[in-house]
Amino acid sequence: MMKKLFIRILLLTILWLPAEYIDAQQVTFGIVTDIHFAEIPNSGTRTYSQSLDKLRECVDTMNKYKVDFLVELGDFKDMSQPADEQKTLGFLKQVEDVFSRFNGPRYHVLGNHDEDCISKEQFLSVAENSGISSKKSYYSYNSGGFHFVVLDANYDSVGKDFDHGRYNWGDPNIPEKELNWLEDDLKESKEPVIVFIHQLLDGAEHYQVKNAEQVRTILENSGKVKCVLQGHFHEGNYSEINGIHYYTLRSLVSGKYPKGSSYAIVTATETVINIHGFRKAESMTLQSRVNTMVIEK
């Protein structure tokens, strides 16, 4: 009880202290992942239809703390059983309606289930990314003195889009055109960088982007990337590779409402990234000291 109270007081302090007492450069944002909303029967720990109630709680929390923006890290929805394009688009519209109640910019990261029986184009025509063209599945933007990069690994090994369920779940890739864009985007950025992606750039091989090592090399060579925030692996994970933090947020869909949920508020400065987890999400403090990244838990 005392530990939870301390964490909440610490979060409020981080959110509301004047910038001169913390760091001149600061941004606070919300993250949530693997919502998997669909009106279908539960499967194992996944309570698909309860995801809307969990997401409402998440959005209400983000509005309460007035975070700068909110991003979901993929697998926003699931699909009807049997697969039906129109019913699945209906699920997407329902979950987007709840997500859009956030009072600020909001962003989506494409996950594999977001193309389970629809296309990327159909998903992006409904799921709005604030200030970003609906034609872009990977993109970047600036907020609070940071540069944010959203990656899309939903391509097969020859660079074709995942589309209407046409994909191998264990074979996500970032194609050459996106790698070239990423390299150029990082070169142009003058700010420290945080990256969002659905599938892992670290961790268990089956959950990892197939050319993850190539992607990590680009991130490392830029010298600007502080951390990568990921979804996909529902149990959550953390690692540090060559000075970059990789934090995988636990899924929202796993567990019964309300306790079986997961989302977090991230407060980042140039030297410290605080992740305050709600419900099942793990809280961490990621620190950078003289280009050496360490973790405190």
Side-chain angles (χ1 to χ4, degrees), residues 62-76:
M62 301 305 163
N63 283 333
K64 175 183 176 181
Y65 288 111
K66 300 180 181 178
V67 299
D68 296 314
F69 64 86
L70 176 59
V71 57
E72 63 88 11
L73 300 173
D75 285 358
F76 193 46

Side-chain angles (χ1 to χ4, degrees), residues 3 13 130 142 187 249 260:
K3 182 179 178 182
T13 302
S130 299
N142 293 335
K187 284 178 182 176
L249 180 64

Side-chain angles (χ1 to χ4, degrees), residues 89-262:
L89 282 169
F91 299 153
L92 174 58
K93 290 172 184 174
Q94 284 180 266
V95 68
E96 176 69 1
D97 283 347
V98 175
F99 196 63
S100 67
R101 295 179 187 180
F102 173 66
N103 298 326
R106 61 188 190 274
Y107 303 97
H108 297 271
V109 180
L110 281 167
N112 50 294
H113 276 277
D114 295 323
E115 299 90 38
D116 47 20
C117 70
I118 62 174
S119 67
K120 289 183 183 179
E121 289 77 15
Q122 287 174 303
F123 181 89
L124 292 169
S125 70
V126 175
E128 179 186 343
N129 294 313
S130 299
I132 305 296
S133 167
S134 62
K135 298 183 184 300
K136 294 183 178 181
S137 66
Y138 53 89
Y139 54 92
S140 62
Y141 60 94
N142 293 335
S143 181
F146 275 77
H147 186 65
F148 295 91
V149 175
V150 174
L151 295 178
D152 174 13
N154 297 285
Y155 297 87
D156 65 19
S157 57
V158 296
K160 289 186 178 180
D161 288 309
F162 289 1
D163 185 8
H164 283 84
R166 187 199 58 75
Y167 63 84
N168 179 344
W169 182 86
D171 186 32
N173 298 266
I174 294 185
E176 186 176 1
K177 62 179 180 178
E178 186 174 348
L179 293 174
N180 293 336
W181 169 86
L182 174 62
E183 200 163 13
D184 291 342
D185 185 77
L186 291 174
K187 284 178 182 176
E188 291 174 7
S189 174
K190 301 291 190 284
E191 300 85 6
V193 176
I194 293 175
V195 175
F196 301 123
I197 188 170
H198 180 63
Q199 294 92 340
L200 306 188
L201 292 179
D202 70 329
E205 183 178 351
H206 188 62
Y207 292 90
Q208 192 175 146
V209 175
K210 289 306 177 186
N211 57 337
E213 185 175 355
Q214 189 178 7
V215 181
R216 291 198 308 265
T217 298
I218 292 173
L219 302 184
E220 291 162 15
N221 288 345
S222 76
K224 300 172 183 176
V225 179
K226 298 292 182 182
C227 77
V228 176
L229 299 173
Q230 312 169 134
H232 195 51
F233 183 59
H234 287 200
E235 290 82 0
N237 193 37
Y238 168 80
S239 71
E240 181 272 328
I241 303 174
N242 295 332
I244 297 176
H245 295 288
Y246 294 83
Y247 175 89
T248 304
L249 180 64
R250 288 174 177 160
S251 67
L252 178 136
V253 71
S254 299
K256 294 182 179 179
Y257 175 78
K259 292 183 179 180
S261 185
S262 172

